[in-house]
Amino acid sequence: AEELKIAVGAMEISDKTVSDVMTKVHVRESEYGGGESYCNDVFMLPSDTTLNTKTVAEILRMGYTRIPVFESDRNNIVSLLFVKDLALLDPDDNFTVKTVCGYHEHALRFVLEDTPLRVMLEEFKKGEYHLAMVQRIVEKEGHDPLYEVVGVVTLEDIVEEILQAE
Ligand code: ATP
Ligand code: ATP
């Protein structure tokens, strides 16, 4: 516990923000020249995904506990799917991600990428949620600012940063 206190102290003065430790959503041009394609380190699902044997197997194979769910585009995150929500599902029912998320309504939280790690850690310590969507504000002349989803951050990302700082 003493060691952790020291480490937290070290981190507090290190001035890092959420964007330094988050898992990024990467967007890049297609290598095949066929227009734009998205390559995401963050594993997300479209809300209209049907949860059949094939898609459930793929979700399990990814190994993540919490999966952001989007509607129509990746900046429009509407809920989180927890892998444990799939446990009692009958794949033959062909429910959609949207339906399953509707049963559970896990807390969905957004933070800005420049949120200090110290502040994020205090948030996670409250225990209400363990993964936050990270957003960036994109200013466009003549328009309201847009929020772009740039990553996810979890307690684990912060703990890793603390251990590195030691
Ligand atoms: P848990 O350990 O609570 O079962 P987990 O292994 O899914 O959950 P964490 O341990 O919280 O996730 O985080 C491990 C790493 O995975 C972190 O770097 C986090 O940013 C990243 N991560 C979490 N969820 C996703 C996701 N859906 N897609 C990509 N990366 C993720
Ligand atoms: P307005 O006040 O112009 O009516 P609004 O209340 O709908 O807009 P904002 O005040 O811009 O929205 O943002 C409220 C919260 O919603 C912010 O904390 C922001 O993080 C979140 N938010 C806004 N746009 C998005 C989006 N596209 N995806 C996810 N979260 C968003």
Side-chain angles (χ1 to χ4, degrees), residues 33-51:
E36 202 101 26
S37 93
Y38 293 89
C39 169
N40 300 279
D41 276 354
V42 175
F43 180 60
M44 302 182 184
L45 286 169
S47 64
D48 58 3
T49 304
T50 301
L51 291 164

Side-chain angles (χ1 to χ4, degrees), residues 21-71:
V21 303
M22 68 184 180
T23 298
K24 290 190 179 72
V25 175
H26 285 296
V27 182
R28 64 161 192 218
E29 292 286 317
S30 166
E31 292 164 39
Y32 307 103
E36 202 101 26
S37 93
Y38 293 89
C39 169
N40 300 279
D41 276 354
V42 175
F43 180 60
M44 302 182 184
L45 286 169
S47 64
D48 58 3
T49 304
T50 301
L51 291 164
N52 53 33
T53 309
K54 182 169 166 271
T55 53
V56 168
E58 192 184 325
I59 291 165
L60 295 179
R61 188 161 47 80
M62 294 307 291
Y64 296 113
T65 298
R66 306 167 195 87
I67 301 153
V69 175
F70 65 93
E71 222 153 73

Side-chain angles (χ1 to χ4, degrees), residues 108-164:
L108 174 63
R109 307 297 278 272
F110 295 89
V111 297
L112 291 175
E113 63 173 351
D114 56 3
T115 304
L117 282 192
R118 170 177 44 81
V119 173
M120 196 68 240
L121 180 60
E122 289 306 316
E123 266 295 290
F124 283 142
K125 274 166 67 183
K126 289 185 202 159
E128 287 157 24
Y129 62 102
H130 301 101
L131 176 147
M133 302 305 307
V134 183
Q135 292 181 313
R136 170 182 301 164
I137 298 175
V138 182
E139 305 278 356
K140 275 197 176 170
E141 225 173 292
H143 292 274
D144 283 345
L146 295 173
Y147 292 88
E148 193 177 84
V149 172
V150 292
V152 298
V153 65
T154 70
L155 180 59
E156 161 132 349
D157 292 316
I158 300 179
V159 168
E160 232 168 69
E161 178 64 28
I162 292 170
L163 295 177
Q164 277 171 19

